[in-house]
């Protein structure tokens, strides 16, 4: 059964959420897992794409946007994919999903792990409370991780 982890940030900004998403993506990728970052929309996906190149000067997280032609050719070798509309191909054997969209994607249960990042912005809090309740109602194991100030 899919394990659900909620990471609760003390910050209110989208930037803090995206920065933590990059650090978490780096950690997951370094552990040898394949990861899909599910963004709210194309703008967020492109912001994540840019940020994964710059969030730390000494970091490199190999990744590809799912909508680009180059990504279609690289998918089998790239450990981190970013998308917003459709899931990664099951052929990619992605083990983890980092969901940054307000809703739970209907295909979440095919992953071993799902991470949700919450910050203190009211819209995010409201949306992710609903996600928490949905996961719990469906019987998924859910765990919260309260984070203190997370600077780069």
């Amino acid at each position: 059964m899919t394990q659900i982890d909620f990471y609760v940030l003390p910050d209110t900004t989208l930037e803090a959420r995206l920065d933590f998403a990059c650090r978490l993506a780096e950690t997951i990728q370094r552990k040898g897992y394949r990861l899909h970052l599910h963004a709210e929309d194309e703008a967020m996906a492109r912001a994540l794409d840019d940020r994964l190149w710059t969030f730390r000067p000494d970091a490199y997280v190999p990744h590809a946007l799912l909508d680009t032609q180059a990504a279609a050719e690289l998918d089998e070798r790239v450990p981190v994919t970013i998308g917003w509309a459709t899931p990664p191909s099951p052929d990619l054997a992605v083990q983890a999903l980092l969901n940054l969209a307000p809703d739970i994607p209907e295909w979440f249960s095919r992953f071993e792990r799902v991470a949700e990042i919450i910050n203190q912005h009211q819209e995010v809090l409201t949306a992710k409370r609903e996600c928490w309740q949905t996961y719990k109602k469906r019987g998924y194991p859910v765990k919260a991780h309260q984070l203190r100030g997370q600077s780069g």
Side-chain angles (χ1 to χ4, degrees):
M1 179 172 268
T2 303
Q3 168 66 47
I4 315 295
D5 291 287
F6 279 81
Y7 295 89
V8 183
L9 303 176
D11 307 286
T12 60
T13 65
L14 174 61
E15 289 76 21
R17 239 178 130 215
L18 296 181
D19 284 342
F20 183 75
C22 290
R23 289 195 306 274
L24 188 57
E26 179 186 33
T27 299
I28 292 167
Q29 183 263 321
R30 278 190 178 168
K31 290 182 177 182
Y33 294 100
R34 297 195 66 153
L35 171 69
H36 179 69
L37 295 165
H38 181 62
E40 181 173 353
D41 54 26
E42 183 177 358
M44 180 186 275
R46 293 195 181 282
L48 279 164
D49 178 38
D50 290 342
R51 199 167 292 245
L52 279 169
W53 288 104
T54 61
F55 77 100
R56 256 193 24 226
D58 62 339
Y60 174 66
V61 178
H63 66 280
L65 279 169
L66 287 182
D67 75 325
T68 65
Q69 189 65 22
E73 298 165 9
L74 293 172
D75 276 352
E76 292 181 16
R77 295 183 303 264
V78 175
V80 177
T81 56
I82 305 167
W84 63 93
T86 59
S89 167
D91 296 339
L92 297 177
V94 177
Q95 298 111 332
L97 169 69
L98 200 167
N99 183 33
L100 291 162
D103 300 319
I104 301 169
E106 60 186 51
W107 34 267
F108 80 94
S109 63
R110 71 173 163 159
F111 300 95
E112 295 171 24
R113 306 285 299 255
V114 172
E116 299 270 2
I117 300 174
I118 303 173
N119 65 3
Q120 301 306 306
H121 188 278
Q122 193 56 49
E123 288 178 20
V124 174
L125 284 169
T126 300
K128 293 305 172 182
R129 277 188 195 117
E130 289 179 26
C131 291
W132 176 284
Q133 291 169 354
T134 300
Y135 289 128
K136 291 296 278 183
K137 282 181 200 170
R138 293 182 183 176
Y140 287 91
V142 179
K143 186 174 184 181
H145 306 273
Q146 297 288 334
L147 304 173
R148 309 238 182 265
Q150 301 289 314
S151 60

